[in-house]
């Protein structure tokens, strides 16, 4: 079981954001987020959106920094990926 975080390249609300995911299960992801003060409101069906300034802290806590393509590949392989067309935003 691994928690992964990608590069903060997604602009929103005047900041850059990264994605935090699990390559195994959502319980692991929620536990990691909770232990590291990431609010549940940051959860978006299969990932947490986390601000750029949280990356060093999350990596120090054990998240593995990977590129966006690797994060997506591993999220799909885990079976946890929610496709864009299946999102109701």
């Amino acid at each position: 079981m691994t928690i992964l975080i990608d590069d903060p390249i997604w602009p929103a609300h005047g900041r850059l954001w990264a994605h935090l995911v699990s390559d195994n299960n959502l319980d692991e992801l929620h536990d990691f987020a909770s232990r590291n003060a990431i609010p549940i409101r940051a959860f978006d069906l299969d990932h947490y959106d986390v601000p750029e300034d949280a990356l060093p802290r999350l990596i120090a806590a054990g998240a593995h920094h990977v590129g966006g393509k690797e994060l997506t590949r591993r999220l799909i392989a885990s079976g946890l990926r929610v496709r864009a067309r299946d999102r109701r935003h």
Side-chain angles (χ1 to χ4, degrees), residues 62-78:
H64 294 258
H65 185 212
V66 296
K69 289 182 182 180
E70 176 69 9
L71 181 137
T72 302
R73 184 186 68 74
R74 291 181 58 186
L75 184 58
I76 290 169
S78 75

Side-chain angles (χ1 to χ4, degrees), residues 3-53:
I3 298 295
L4 307 168
I5 193 163
D6 65 0
D7 295 313
I9 62 170
W10 305 97
H13 313 289
R15 303 169 87 171
L16 292 177
W17 299 79
H19 298 117
L20 185 73
V21 306
S22 169
D23 71 351
N24 187 274
N25 69 69
L26 293 179
D27 290 336
E28 173 191 41
L29 178 60
H30 292 308
D31 181 59
F32 184 87
S34 176
R35 286 185 286 114
N36 289 282
I38 303 299
I40 192 67
R41 71 179 178 272
F43 183 67
D44 186 16
L45 302 177
D46 60 6
H47 71 275
Y48 280 84
D49 293 316
V50 295
E52 178 177 30
D53 61 342

